[in-house]
Amino acid sequence: MLAAMSASPLTPRPPGDACARSSGDACPGALRLHRADDGALARIRIPGGVLTPRQVIALGQAAERLGDGELHLTSRGNVQVRGLAEDCGAELAELLSGAGLLPSERHERVRNVVASPLSGLDGVGAVDVGPWLTGLDRLLCGSDRATALSGRFLFALDDGRGDVDSLGADLTLVGHASGDALLRIGNGESVLRVPAADGPRAALLAAEAFLDAARETGAWRTKDLPAEAVTALPDDVARRLGPACITCVTEVLPHPPEARTPAPGRVTGPGHEAALSVGVPLGRLGPGQWRLLSGAGELRLTPWRGAVLTGVPPARADGLLAELSAAGFVTGTGSPWTGVGACIGSPGCAKSLADVRAEAGAAVGPAGRLPVYWSGCERRCGHPHGEWIDVVATPAGHRISHVRGDRSTEAATVRDDPAALAAAVAAARGTHT
């Protein structure tokens, strides 16, 4: 059993990490490929995770024609294509541009936006974030200053249900019951209430305020700023909103206790068309699986490595859900894959100390109370937010700890024995309350 929650901070990313400020912004994009052990890697930013049917087809073609055939979902609802030849950049860019996936070459790595994936589908949220998403992306791609944001800076658009508000974004717009927007800066509970129509402009002005605050420190994200700079940001943003003719009021909005992730299965809502929510084990999609996702209307990729198919004819919904289940998607709450995640691990990543995807698959059992994330090294690429069981490969074995926010238990190290590892992970997922 793991130790009780301690005051130990989560181990930070080590110096020299690919996304550390000291080494330059080396985060991959669609135009800047990253060299990995399994070939070059492209990360395609998909604001809000929203794809048209044409874009779904184009991504599938990119993976099959230029990569290893698979598409990998990220914790920001983006897509990675792996196994690329290093000289395929021009062909990849042409394919993506033709599908509208590269509206601006200068901004393609800063289009980091997550959004409530069920917004407008189930009648739960206070607002439909669709207009915010298109508005913010248009403003980002039209802003010269926005090109200075790092490939890690994250915007979140929460329709009021509290799902993506819990993901630790740098700037978050939250829908309010009044119809207004609440702008959260970093992890603060002090928010600025602005008219909903002005939400995207307010978010861009806040990003510019962050860039000014980061000029002296070289911070990439709000959490990297000195504490006094973070405290001053809301007042600075409020002063900028006035000249832009945006009214604002300061309020307090606590963070939601935990994310309300989309439940797998049929989405019930007021619309005449159906929607289906599915999970993708380890975020890894083969060609046949990806084609199954392209047969409906708009596809929404979630920050939890899942997908929501919209525009499904009601008479087709149950049959398609059965097909998706047979193809390996998570379509119900009882799946053993629920809450299980992993980084790419070996052999795709040179820094990884283990094939953590295979280990995660070998250890899959009855769903536990907490998510579990397997990491091949201390960087923990793509790890979840909130509370989870952290499994990290080390030279001495696998270190298992219970993470809550930025704190973790004292870790227990388990030897590299599949049975012992599976038992330790299952116990950790089910014993914490």
Side-chain angles (χ1 to χ4, degrees):
M1 182 179 296
L2 303 183
M5 183 62 61
S6 72
S8 303
L10 191 62
T11 305
R13 287 175 176 263
D17 172 24
C19 288
R21 171 62 86 177
S22 61
S23 62
D25 189 356
C27 289
L31 301 178
R32 177 188 289 180
L33 304 185
H34 171 73
R35 182 179 298 175
D37 270 17
D38 56 353
L41 173 156
R43 182 177 299 158
I44 299 100
R45 266 70 173 187
I46 303 169
V50 176
L51 292 165
T52 66
R54 180 186 176 196
Q55 292 170 335
V56 174
I57 292 172
L59 285 172
Q61 291 174 339
E64 292 191 65
R65 281 169 38 188
L66 305 175
D68 62 7
E70 295 187 335
L71 290 140
H72 301 261
L73 307 187
T74 78
S75 60
R76 293 183 168 192
N78 294 322
V79 168
Q80 291 188 162
V81 180
R82 304 185 67 95
L84 296 164
E86 293 187 10
D87 61 354
C88 76
E91 187 176 357
L92 177 64
E94 182 179 3
L95 180 57
L96 298 177
S97 295
L101 287 165
L102 288 178
S104 168
E105 292 185 3
R106 297 178 63 220
H107 299 82
E108 63 96 5
R109 290 191 305 142
V110 304
R111 300 172 71 221
N112 289 308
V113 186
V114 295
S116 299
L118 297 185
S119 186
L121 297 177
D122 59 359
V124 171
V127 301
D128 184 347
V129 299
W132 286 353
L133 181 60
T134 55
L136 178 59
D137 192 40
R138 188 185 312 113
L139 289 170
L140 278 174
C141 291
S143 167
D144 285 337
R145 288 214 65 195
T147 61
L149 294 171
S150 78
R152 301 286 295 175
F153 195 90
L154 181 64
F155 296 86
L157 308 177
D158 191 304
D159 68 1
R161 75 184 66 215
D163 53 0
V164 297
D165 185 22
S166 64
L167 296 184
D170 297 279
L171 295 171
T172 304
L173 285 176
V174 181
H176 189 267
S178 66
D180 289 336
L182 303 178
L183 175 62
R184 189 192 301 280
I185 301 168
N187 289 321
E189 294 191 350
S190 177
V191 298
L192 302 175
R193 184 195 285 216
V194 301
D198 293 324
R201 282 202 301 139
L204 183 61
L205 288 169
E208 293 175 352
F210 161 78
L211 288 172
D212 288 339
R215 186 179 297 119
E216 297 299 324
T217 63
W220 277 12
R221 303 194 61 186
T222 53
K223 66 182 181 180
D224 301 326
L225 291 170
E228 59 272 17
V230 174
T231 302
L233 261 180
D235 289 340
D236 183 18
V237 174
R239 286 192 294 270
R240 295 171 188 245
L241 297 181
C245 299
I246 300 176
T247 60
C248 73
V249 177
T250 301
E251 298 186 3
V252 174
L253 179 68
H255 282 278
E258 59 184 32
R260 296 182 57 184
T261 59
R266 188 163 179 165
V267 178
T268 303
H272 297 294
E273 295 179 320
L276 303 177
S277 173
V278 297
V280 179
L282 303 181
R284 185 178 180 181
L285 290 158
Q289 291 176 310
W290 187 253
R291 282 191 286 272
L292 270 179
L293 299 180
S294 65
E298 180 181 86
L299 179 65
R300 303 181 183 183
L301 306 178
T302 79
W304 303 280
R305 295 180 175 85
V308 177
L309 292 75
T310 70
V312 179
R316 173 80 174 111
D318 290 342
L320 179 55
L321 195 63
E323 289 181 46
L324 291 165
S325 179
F329 289 93
V330 177
T331 59
T333 55
S335 170
W337 283 105
T338 299
V340 178
C343 71
I344 194 66
S346 301
C349 176
K351 292 183 172 63
S352 179
L353 299 176
D355 185 351
V356 288
R357 290 191 299 180
E359 291 175 337
V364 162
R369 188 186 73 81
L370 293 176
V372 58
Y373 194 79
W374 297 69
S375 299
C377 71
E378 296 286 357
R379 296 184 306 161
R380 298 180 177 85
C381 294
H383 70 72
H385 292 267
E387 188 177 7
W388 81 94
I389 297 301
D390 188 42
V391 184
V392 181
T394 74
H398 287 68
R399 192 175 66 246
I400 305 174
S401 59
H402 174 210
V403 176
R404 184 182 295 144
D406 62 352
R407 301 288 172 177
S408 69
T409 61
E410 295 180 7
T413 299
V414 178
R415 66 185 184 278
D416 290 335
D417 173 76
L421 190 55
V425 170
R429 295 187 74 191
T431 57
H432 286 283
T433 59

